[in-house]
Amino acid sequence: MTVRTYSPAIGIKVRLKVEDAANNTITCETEATTTVANAWETLTFDFASQATGTAVLDVTKSFNKVTIFFDFGTAGATVGTARTYYCDDVTFIGGTSGGGGGGGATYTPITFDDAALTYTLTGFGGAEDATVVTDPAGGANQVVKVVKSATAELWAGTTISTGANNSIPTLPFSATKKQISVRVWSPDAGIQVRLKVEDAADVTHTCETEATVTTAAGWQTLTFDFANQAAGTAALDLAFTYNKASIFFNFGVTGASVGAAKTYYLDDITFLP
């Protein structure tokens, strides 16, 4: 897990404890150390390495309670004064329950703002020019800029990944949860945006669906419903693992037909509950 923290001092031990809210004998604890003073940083807590004298993580158990301890192991009297700490963005980065039908799993939105993650953008067919940039609308957040060239294929797209083999954490599709939202910015209204999910280890396991941009030169949130696959593509199979995602702006239209390169933006890839 990661947690953004703000500490007045460097070298502070921060402990994170997870447990079963219904059974406090089921726990695991681990620690990270602050490396900056009076500034935000993202600490990573690896529960594969439990704190000395605490229980090993048992993945057969339920962990649904989290507690954080700043300057763990040090009494206030030792420090000699009160200290103020801050925390934000408690994020699970280890993936979700594997395999299809993971309806009980949660999924952390891909926001492109997590300093602990490496965002890899793999373009193809004339959309190779893709980068993470500051929101052009004036926000401080990071977004993805995609340029579809004037010679792009109709299927030009970009794969977004945070893990090995162009993967993302497994999408927890279920019988009742089949939607993903993406914030997009397009210079034109009326274009089709296609979203494709697949198994990073088996490219024959795919599902694709589309949404239509209704706002020109402004941000909007599109919802992609994988219960309604695009014509000529495979239906969503809940027995499959889907842990790879690609987006296609103005799908079905070549760059030559448009006659110019077009720039698009995307942010906040979110699995809808």
Side-chain angles (χ1 to χ4, degrees), residues 82-96:
R83 278 184 168 174
T84 300
Y85 304 90
Y86 299 88
C87 67
D88 194 11
D89 300 337
V90 181
T91 304
F92 183 79
I93 62 172
T96 59

Side-chain angles (χ1 to χ4, degrees), residues 12 70-83 85:
I12 296 294
F70 284 102
D71 206 4
F72 185 85
T74 304
T78 302
V79 176
T81 183
R83 278 184 168 174
Y85 304 90

